[in-house]
């Protein structure tokens, strides 16, 4: 298991928010991906134990035999809300979320920040630069923007809209509609519940224009899950993982039945309840397969353009919250981006997840997520082995380091005269094991030469 090496060095806790912070040497629950006989597919949850062990030679403090001592905390969001403001962390400690991550990962805040950033770009750099933020559908927050939504709705009668609760996941609470009556019924329900229970606030939703022309493969709708690791917001330092997957619906796409969640929602949590779901085959393609498919249908240049547009989504969305996220040096975040492609090969940002699912549904999924976690820990670098000048670590490529990172060595040429290519390889070959061997061998040689 990838954690075995780290157990030799660090006290690491992966926690269940419903339990107290474990004592050193106690078990803590973590969604691991070792084969489990209790799971139908053999990839279930498993408890791991991490003993109290100390870093050696990296300036990390020795463990004090009392509750709550740790070096690295892969915590749940609920733990973060309850503890982050009054938890003291030593210099070396790392935690897996930024304190106000919700500025990007709650659907309403994400849209609010993107709209604000777009206006800022238009004011400072012009409409052409601002247009680079046109990658999210027209969106309104309800109930606060209900009247603005109604005004927009009446301008375009007959189109499809989608309602999403701002703080729920796995497709819960989502529905499509075309009539204002449907939204008025929902508004009446929320008003009634608020009148009956004054202590319960109305749940906020976003009403978003539905992408009616999604790109289809085999007649089925899909979206992409892409992983972005942010180590710092000030300065912005972001890594893009080479692997990811496309999540497919199990039912052929049609706009004739907007009430069928198996047609319109690609979430695995929804699709696995479908009568057509095949537990062994699942409903995913790895991104390498997806990229090859598109290249065979549309040619390499069209695919390069599509993936470059996705790079733009990652960077612009992070920049939109750069000034509002609390950039604590102890924090990092592994985001799960959900991207939809339309028939014109235009990518749309659906949402960003602060805690992307790490549950494996197939052997491919298992391998992807264990490697993803291992490479995340390599980039976080609790053992202080990296120099800070690396542009690739395992499956992660550094795409932004207080500015765009070029695939070529040396400073990037941003004059417009050169052929600048961003250092991203999404959906490309991920020879991570070979790269890690070469990287750490090189680092060892450098260390010996300098000692």
């Amino acid at each position: 298991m990838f954690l075995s090496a780290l157990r030799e060095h660090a006290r690491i806790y992966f926690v269940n928010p419903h339990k107290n912070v474990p004592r050193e040497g106690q078990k803590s629950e973590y969604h691991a991906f070792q084969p489990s006989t209790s799971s139908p597919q053999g990839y279930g949850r498993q408890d791991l134990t991490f003993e109290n062990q100390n870093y050696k030679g990296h300036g990390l403090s020795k463990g004090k035999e009392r509750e709550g001592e740790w070096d690295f905390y892969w915590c749940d969001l609920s733990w973060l809300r309850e503890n982050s403001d009054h938890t003291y962390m030593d210099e070396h400690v790392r935690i897996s979320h930024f304190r106000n991550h919700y500025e990007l990962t709650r659907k309403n805040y994400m849209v609010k920040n993107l709209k604000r950033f777009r206006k800022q770009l238009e004011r400072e750099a012009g409409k052409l630069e601002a247009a680079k933020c046109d990658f999210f559908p027209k969106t309104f927050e309800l109930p606060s923007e209900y009247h603005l939504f109604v005004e927009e709705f009446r301008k375009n009668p007959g189109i499809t809209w989608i309602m999403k609760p701002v703080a729920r996941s796995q497709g819960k609470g989502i529905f499509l509609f075309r009539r204002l009556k449907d939204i008025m019924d929902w508004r009446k329900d929320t008003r009634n519940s608020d009148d009956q229970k004054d202590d319960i606030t109305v749940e906020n939703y976003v009403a978003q224009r539905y992408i009616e022309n999604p790109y289809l493969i085999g007649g089925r709708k899909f979206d992409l899950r892409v992983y972005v690791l942010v180590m710092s917001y000030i300065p912005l330092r972001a890594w893009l993982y080479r692997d990811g997957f496309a999540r497919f619906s199990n039912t052929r796409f049609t706009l004739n039945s907007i009430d069928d969640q198996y047609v319109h929602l690609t979430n695995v949590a929804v699709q696995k309840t479908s009568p057509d779901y095949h537990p062994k085959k699942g409903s995913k393609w790895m991104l390498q397969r997806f990229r090859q498919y598109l290249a065979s249908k549309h040619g390499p240049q069209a695919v390069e353009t599509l993936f470059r547009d996705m790079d733009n989504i990652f960077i612009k969305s992070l920049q939109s919250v750069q000034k509002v996220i609390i950039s604590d040096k102890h924090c990092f975040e592994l985001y799960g981006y959900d991207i939809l492609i339309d028939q014109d090969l235009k990518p749309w940002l659906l949402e960003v997840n602060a805690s992307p699912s790490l549950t494996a549904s197939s052997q491919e999924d298992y391998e992807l997520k264990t490697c993803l976690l291992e490479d995340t820990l390599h980039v976080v670098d609790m053992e202080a082995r990296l120099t800070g000048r690396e542009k690739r670590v395992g499956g992660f490529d550094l795409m932004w380091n207080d500015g765009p990172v070029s695939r070529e060595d040396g400073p990037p040429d941003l004059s417009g005269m050169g052929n600048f290519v961003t250092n991203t390889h999404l959906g490309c070959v991920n020879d991570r094991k070979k790269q890690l061997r070469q990287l750490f061998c090189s680092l060892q040689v450098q260390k010996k030469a300098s000692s």
Side-chain angles (χ1 to χ4, degrees):
M1 185 65 180
F2 71 93
L3 292 169
S4 58
L6 283 172
R7 289 178 62 184
E8 297 176 2
H9 302 283
R11 302 181 302 279
I12 304 177
Y13 287 127
F14 296 78
V15 300
N16 181 338
H18 303 296
K19 298 181 180 179
N20 293 326
V21 175
R23 294 180 186 274
E24 296 182 4
Q26 279 187 331
K27 283 187 176 182
S28 59
E29 187 181 84
Y30 168 58
H31 296 189
F33 305 106
Q34 295 176 343
S36 167
T37 55
S38 62
S39 175
Q41 289 83 44
Y43 306 97
R45 297 182 180 183
Q46 182 166 344
D47 285 347
L48 299 180
T49 303
F50 299 92
E51 303 294 339
N52 172 22
Q53 306 205 22
N54 298 324
Y55 264 89
K56 299 176 182 178
H58 298 297
L60 303 187
S61 59
K62 292 185 177 180
K64 300 173 184 177
E65 297 296 329
R66 69 171 188 261
E67 184 175 356
E69 287 294 320
W70 39 268
D71 297 318
F72 178 102
Y73 219 152
W74 193 287
C75 70
D76 189 274
L77 295 176
S78 60
W79 182 93
L80 186 74
R81 286 192 295 269
E82 294 167 7
N83 298 281
S84 62
D85 289 337
H86 53 266
T87 298
Y88 171 78
M89 287 181 274
D90 290 333
E91 180 77 17
H92 67 276
V93 168
R94 294 294 178 268
I95 190 169
S96 61
H97 295 289
F98 290 94
R99 292 171 187 244
N100 58 336
H101 62 87
Y102 47 80
E103 293 287 351
L104 181 62
T105 58
R106 277 179 64 115
K107 300 175 185 70
N108 55 337
Y109 291 161
M110 179 191 80
V111 171
K112 177 197 71 174
N113 285 311
L114 283 170
K115 287 179 177 178
R116 176 188 50 75
F117 186 59
R118 191 191 190 286
K119 289 180 181 178
Q120 177 188 332
L121 286 178
E122 184 170 353
R123 188 169 58 250
E124 296 176 356
K127 291 185 177 180
L128 194 61
E129 188 66 23
K132 294 180 181 179
C133 287
D134 293 340
F135 50 71
F136 59 99
K138 190 174 288 293
T139 305
F140 298 89
E141 183 178 357
L142 303 183
S144 62
E145 296 181 328
Y146 178 76
H147 295 293
L148 291 174
F149 163 72
V150 171
E151 183 179 335
E152 180 66 27
F153 183 93
R154 287 174 173 159
K155 288 180 184 176
N156 300 279
I159 68 170
T160 309
W161 293 79
I162 185 167
M163 283 278 283
K164 304 175 183 178
V166 299
R168 288 202 254 174
S169 58
Q170 299 183 329
K172 295 172 184 169
I174 296 178
F175 63 92
L176 278 64
F177 66 97
R178 291 197 185 107
R179 301 177 303 169
L180 200 55
K181 177 182 180 300
D182 299 329
I183 199 74
M184 293 174 77
D185 289 344
W186 167 84
R187 191 168 183 241
K188 186 189 301 181
D189 290 341
T190 58
R191 277 179 168 177
N192 289 340
S193 64
D194 194 42
D195 291 341
Q196 293 168 6
K197 298 182 180 180
D198 293 335
D199 58 329
I200 299 178
T201 57
V202 176
E203 182 177 17
N204 285 4
Y205 274 66
V206 291
Q208 198 169 66
R209 188 161 178 172
Y210 186 64
I211 307 299
E212 295 183 316
N213 64 331
Y215 192 95
L216 305 178
I217 297 179
R220 289 168 171 78
K221 180 183 174 182
F222 65 92
D223 67 2
L224 305 180
R225 167 57 59 84
V226 181
Y227 298 100
V228 174
L229 176 63
V230 176
M231 296 302 299
S232 166
Y233 272 98
I234 301 176
L236 181 59
R237 185 174 174 86
W239 301 73
L240 179 65
Y241 204 60
R242 296 189 172 203
D243 293 339
F245 50 83
R247 304 179 296 187
F248 287 84
S249 64
N250 283 281
T251 307
R252 295 180 70 85
F253 182 78
T254 176
L255 287 171
N256 295 329
S257 55
I258 62 172
D259 296 328
D260 191 340
Q261 62 178 353
Y262 300 126
V263 172
H264 300 285
L265 304 184
T266 60
N267 309 69
V268 174
V270 172
Q271 292 299 324
K272 69 182 182 182
T273 65
S274 166
D276 299 328
Y277 183 74
H278 197 298
K280 289 186 177 179
K281 292 182 180 178
S283 54
K284 296 178 180 178
W285 273 14
M286 294 299 106
L287 274 184
Q288 286 82 356
R289 181 181 180 186
F290 171 71
R291 184 164 186 153
Q292 290 169 0
Y293 174 86
L294 287 185
S296 68
K297 297 279 288 185
H298 304 282
Q301 188 56 50
V303 174
E304 282 292 333
T305 300
L306 167 62
F307 278 72
R308 187 168 61 247
D309 290 343
M310 284 196 280
D311 293 343
N312 173 69
I313 289 178
F314 307 138
I315 296 303
K316 288 291 188 289
S317 60
L318 295 174
Q319 289 177 327
S320 75
V321 297
Q322 186 177 6
K323 293 182 179 179
V324 295
I325 291 284
I326 300 170
S327 188
D328 189 329
K329 64 184 178 183
H330 298 99
C331 303
F332 69 94
E333 191 108 37
L334 179 64
Y335 294 110
Y337 274 73
D338 291 343
I339 306 288
L340 180 74
I341 313 297
D342 69 17
Q343 290 176 358
D344 300 320
L345 294 184
K346 173 181 172 63
W348 296 88
L349 176 60
L350 300 181
E351 63 178 305
V352 183
N353 298 273
S355 292
S357 172
L358 297 176
T359 303
S361 58
S362 67
Q363 178 63 33
E364 273 189 323
D365 210 21
Y366 164 81
E367 293 172 356
L368 184 157
K369 288 172 178 173
T370 50
C371 293
L372 170 69
L373 285 171
E374 182 178 1
D375 291 344
T376 298
L377 296 177
H378 284 314
V379 174
V380 173
D381 192 28
M382 292 294 292
E383 292 154 305
R385 293 181 294 177
L386 303 180
T387 65
R389 297 186 298 273
E390 292 80 7
K391 290 171 39 173
R392 182 185 176 189
V393 177
F396 278 109
D397 295 292
L398 183 62
M399 64 174 173
W400 195 269
N401 188 19
D402 201 21
V405 179
S406 172
R407 289 186 190 178
E408 305 299 326
D409 292 330
D413 177 8
L414 302 178
S415 64
M417 303 299 290
N419 296 316
F420 179 81
V421 181
T422 306
N423 184 46
T424 56
H425 303 268
L426 184 61
C428 296
V429 174
N430 186 6
D431 53 343
R432 54 177 298 280
K433 290 184 179 180
K434 177 181 176 182
Q435 194 274 339
L436 287 171
R437 280 196 304 269
Q438 293 175 343
L439 172 64
F440 290 120
C441 283
S442 173
L443 291 172
Q444 285 180 348
V445 170
Q446 293 177 36
K447 185 177 180 181
K448 288 179 180 179
S450 61
S451 61

